[in-house]
């Protein structure tokens, strides 16, 4: 649709909105002669070129995974490579909607209703507002916008600066008649003013003539809403909307402002509004070599946060325009910089550093303080997972936020408090006591309206969610120490969930208790009895509710403790591992389940049982399942201290297979399907981001909350020779930093009163100017005769998540599996050694053939024969040829001296 000939939008055959055209005479004014420095106004932390904070590409590629997004925790916008506008990207989302992907704009807590691929009934899902990033340029013969083809674009560069939350796109646009225009777009969702967004365009034409810049609110980007009327208010346009069935109303407003001398000149302005579409156009006489600047300032509000959302949205857009880009951006960037006072640093590991910051940016863009909307698996980046709230919030995203951003994390527990009354009503519907939160929930938490998962009936059987919510609620009290919060906000939730479990259990003849017909986190098993994570979570919820009652002086039924002590926890005595459920036969599982007993539940077990349970379940987990599983494997491995460096293997597996260039966005799966029963993988998958962050906040630090202390047991894989630093950790009013070094870990207080750190070697007091020094555990230094263990390993190729390092990490639960039929693995020993034996423990698929070679210099290799004499070698190589139908791999490579 030509933006200069915008047709009215029709809904249900009724014309909505109005069409207005306003114009003034044109008296062109001189334009700015010299383009400003691209980093001008961005401050020292926002300058371009810092690889630790910036993600850039010079490849113009419209693939969906290469579309960046900005967000401030309330408002977001996904942006195509062109730097502006709405694009229907092709492909489908996965569960539960299975609808076409698109570049959407979202508002926290705003839901509508529509078809779900999981049921014949309409269900609630996140609504998308009209696209607000659109700012097009017309030179009289062609228009630059979201659909401009690649062949018309050169000198392309797009950069996301996560330090300051800004996306910048620069390029040269050349029209068929040969006229070239340099364009520079910058877009932010204002962190300082959550209801505001802004786009800045700087254009430098290399031609003389008429130019038109159009700022649009594009209704094509809207989903699950209908228009309620559009109009103008001075130089601000606005569109009203009502979400489908949920009927939440709101307004999106936009003000276009020209900068420099052009702002003081007369120019032709036109305004067009209709339905969910609104446009402001400004035409002027452009001069070759001069740079013109335009700002588009957006305001949005809804009935959820304002009594008069129209006036609020219009006022927000006007105030943003009055501040202007420089002031708006300075305030915005300062808010982002303050958030980054909580950082995770990996000196000497630049790629890991970028992945960590991209993961934090993903979470921070989708949550903010003062809200009670929680955070969905894709956050505000898309309508993947329909913007619903799952256990992902409490178990996978919340812990890392609670550690470094407790004010933001509170939104997660506040959401469950807000929907508690509906959870009580749900419990009555399903014939239970207390409160019952559905497996998926949206605006209200209503079991029927919000929950999509009915075949199998996960809405009912994935009741481990009740334990997940109770755990997060108690953790908030542990981390905050706020008794008033516990009494007024946490206790009602804990008590209601304890009452649910009290009524949900069945007493057995031997006096124990069971919970029947459940689905644990492993969604490949449904309708089972005594799911181990479900039962352990129920017991933990009952015990924590009893503890909360004791803190507050409230009565707690003795039956809560009786049930907690008596719940069956399936265990295989012969193997020495916990069983996923009663009767589990060792089959493939979709994602982390039993391994969650050790973390986050902290279920009592010996190190041997913890290690054996992890080693048993990790190789049984579907490698194509959801991406967060290896994060908890990493946390468990870090706690177990198994000799070797398998923790590092799991850390890499928790991120590397899922990162998508160029903006390090997280895909839900390593391939094109999210598990055997899944659809297209979600992007950006914040659940995976949150899990990955926990490998550092809780894995390497050993951090666990206690009401009277912080428990820590730091460890460091040798692949981090310069250590790991975590800044801005919070506990009960204190702010502290942790530096994990190869030998010692330092805990330093930045703000607040002295506090206690509890470690395996005793208690340490941390005060201002009096840091604590703790021994860093180094499982890689445990004695071994394997010369290859934890040594650098490389491979010609590898399947995603089955990298070379796994062959020498000390664990047979992880494997190197090549991606091609013929491949090779090379290990560098610490020093030249007389090698007497090289033995590979193969995966279930043995190689068709293989041979071992050794080298002193890494360039000249000769074959090694096991029957021959010892050979002096610094490098050991295994060449593998797999059979035609399957890939052979190595569980562990042993190199010993003779």
């Amino acid at each position: 649709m030509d933006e200069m000939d915008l047709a009215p939008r029709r809904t249900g055959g009724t014309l909505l909105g109005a069409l207005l055209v306003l114009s003034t005479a044109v008296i062109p004014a001189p334009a700015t002669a010299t383009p400003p420095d691209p980093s001008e106004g961005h401050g020292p932390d926002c300058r371009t070129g810092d690889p630790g904070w910036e993600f850039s590409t010079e490849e113009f590629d419209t693939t969906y995974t290469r579309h960046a997004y900005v967000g401030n925790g309330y408002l977001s916008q996904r942006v195509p490579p062109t730097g502006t506008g709405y694009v229907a990207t092709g492909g489908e989302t996965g569960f539960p909607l299975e609808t076409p992907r698109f570049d959407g704009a979202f508002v926290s807590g705003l839901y509508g209703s529509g078809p779900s691929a999981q049921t014949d009934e309409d269900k609630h899902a996140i609504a998308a507002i009209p696209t607000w990033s659109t700012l097009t340029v017309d030179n009289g013969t062609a228009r630059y916008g979201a659909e401009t083809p690649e062949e018309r674009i050169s000198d392309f560069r797009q950069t996301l600066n996560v330090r300051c939350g800004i996306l910048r796109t620069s390029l040269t646009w050349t029209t068929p008649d040969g006229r070239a225009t340099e364009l520079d777009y910058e877009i932010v969702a204002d962190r300082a003013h959550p209801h505001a967004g802004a786009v800045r365009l700087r254009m430098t034409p290399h031609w003389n003539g008429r130019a038109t810049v159009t700022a649009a609110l594009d209704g094509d980007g809207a989903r699950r809403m209908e228009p309620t009327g559009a109009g103008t208010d001075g130089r601000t346009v606005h569109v009203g909307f009502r979400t489908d069935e949920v009927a939440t109303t709101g307004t999106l407003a936009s003000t276009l402002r020209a900068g420099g001398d052009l702002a003081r000149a007369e120019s032709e302005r036109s305004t067009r509004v209709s339905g969910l579409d609104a446009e402001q156009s400004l035409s002027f006489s452009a001069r070759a070599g001069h740079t013109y600047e335009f700002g588009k300032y957006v305001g949005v509000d809804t009935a959820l946060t304002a009594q008069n959302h129209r006036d609020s949205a219009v006022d927000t857009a006007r105030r943003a325009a009055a501040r202007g880009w420089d002031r708006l951006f300075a305030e915005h960037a300062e808010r982002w910089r303050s958030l980054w006072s909580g950082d995770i640093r990996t000196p000497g590991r630049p790629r890991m550093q970028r992945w960590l910051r991209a993961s934090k940016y993903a979470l921070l863009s989708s949550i903010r303080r003062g809200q009670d909307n929680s955070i969905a698996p894709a956050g505000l980046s898309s309508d993947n997972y329909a913007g619903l709230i799952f256990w992902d919030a409490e178990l996978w995203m919340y812990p890392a936020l609670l550690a470094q951003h407790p004010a933001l994390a509170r939104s997660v527990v506040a959401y469950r408090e807000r929907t508690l009354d509906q959870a009580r009503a749900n419990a009555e519907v399903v014939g239970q006591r207390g409160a019952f939160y559905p497996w998926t929930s949206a605006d209200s938490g209503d079991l029927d309206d919000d929950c999509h998962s009915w075949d199998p009936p996960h809405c009912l059987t994935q009741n481990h969610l009740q334990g997940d919510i109770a755990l997060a609620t108690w953790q908030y009290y542990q981390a905050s120490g706020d008794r008033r919060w516990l009494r007024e906000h946490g206790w009602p939730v804990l008590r209601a969930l304890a009452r649910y479990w009290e009524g949900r259990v069945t007493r057995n003849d031997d006096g124990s208790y069971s919970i029947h017909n459940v689905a644990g986190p492993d969604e490949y098993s449904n309708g089972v009895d005594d799911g181990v994570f479900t039962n352990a979570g129920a017991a933990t919820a009952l015990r924590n509710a009893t503890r909360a009652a004791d803190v507050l002086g409230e009565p707690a039924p003795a039956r809560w403790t009786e049930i907690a002590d008596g719940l069956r926890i399936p265990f295989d005595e012969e193997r020495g591992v916990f069983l996923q459920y009663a009767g589990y036969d060792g089959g493939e599982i979709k994602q982390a389940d039993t391994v969650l007993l050790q973390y986050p539940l902290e279920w009592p077990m010996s190190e041997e049982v913890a290690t054996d349970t992890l080693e048993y379940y990790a190789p049984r987990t579907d490698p194509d399942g959801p991406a967060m599983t290896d994060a908890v494997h990493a946390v468990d491995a870090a706690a177990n201290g198994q000799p070797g460096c398998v923790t590092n293997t799991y850390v890499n597996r928790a991120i590397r297979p899922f990162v998508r260039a160029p903006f390090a966005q997280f895909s839900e799966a390593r391939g094109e399907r999210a598990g055997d029963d899944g659809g297209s993988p979600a992007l950006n998958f914040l659940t995976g981001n949150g899990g990955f962050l926990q490998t550092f906040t809780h894995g390497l630090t050993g951090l666990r909350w206690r009401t009277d202390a912080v428990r820590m047991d730091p460890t460091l894989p040798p692949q981090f020779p310069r250590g790991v630093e975590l800044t801005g950790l919070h506990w009960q009013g204190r702010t502290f930093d942790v530096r994990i070094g190869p030998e010692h870990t330092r805990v330093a207080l930045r703000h607040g009163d002295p506090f206690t750190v509890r470690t395996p070697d005793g208690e340490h007091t941390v005060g201002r100017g009096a840091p604590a020094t703790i021994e860093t555990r180094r499982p890689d230094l445990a004695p071994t005769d394997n010369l290859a263990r934890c040594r650098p390993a490389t491979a010609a190729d590898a399947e995603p998540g089955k990298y070379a390092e796994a062959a020498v990490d000390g664990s047979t639960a992880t494997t190197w599996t090549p991606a091609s039929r013929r491949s090779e693995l090379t290990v560098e020993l610490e020093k030249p050694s007389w090698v007497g034996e090289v033995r590979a423990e193969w995966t279930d698929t043995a190689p068709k053939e293989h041979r071992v070679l050794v080298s002193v210099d890494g360039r000249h290799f000769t074959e090694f024969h096991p029957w021959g004499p010892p050979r002096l070698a610094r490098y050991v190589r295994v060449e593998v040829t797999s059979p035609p139908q399957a890939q052979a791999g190595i569980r562990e490579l042993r190199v010993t001296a003779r």
Side-chain angles (χ1 to χ4, degrees), residues 727-785:
T727 63
L729 294 162
H730 293 266
W731 179 75
Q732 297 191 6
R734 288 84 164 180
T735 304
F736 62 100
D737 301 334
V738 175
R739 187 192 184 283
I740 307 171
E743 297 180 0
H744 298 96
T745 293
R746 184 176 185 268
V747 183
L749 181 64
R750 187 192 299 181
H751 172 79
D753 296 331
F755 68 102
T756 300
V757 174
R758 191 168 293 144
T759 71
D761 66 357
E763 294 189 347
H764 305 259
T765 299
V766 180
R768 295 291 293 273
T773 301
I774 306 166
E775 183 179 355
T776 301
R777 285 188 297 107
R778 291 291 302 276
D780 61 299
L781 299 181
T784 181
D785 62 354

Side-chain angles (χ1 to χ4, degrees), residues 64 93-95 101 377-378 382 384-385 666-669 674 679-686:
Y64 177 74
T93 62
F95 173 92
R101 287 171 162 169
S382 73
N384 279 283
Y385 279 103
F666 207 112
S667 175
E668 183 184 10
S680 299
L683 185 112
N684 205 357
F685 189 51
L686 273 62

Side-chain angles (χ1 to χ4, degrees), residues 615 618 630 642-653 656 719 786 788-795 797-818 825-827 840-843 889-894:
E615 294 271 296
D630 277 316
Q642 178 180 355
C645 48
V646 69
T647 297
N648 184 73
T649 300
Y650 286 130
V651 169
N652 281 333
R653 281 177 31 166
R656 186 175 165 188
Q719 292 83 359
N786 184 0
R789 195 185 74 183
C790 296
R791 296 302 304 161
T794 58
D797 53 30
E799 290 186 359
K802 299 182 179 182
Y803 305 119
E805 64 194 22
V808 293
D809 62 9
S811 170
T812 58
T814 58
T815 66
W816 167 65
T817 303
L825 172 81
T826 304
V827 180
E841 181 174 342
W842 302 101
T843 56
I890 297 177
R891 297 187 188 279
E892 201 66 17
L893 182 69
R894 290 187 55 81

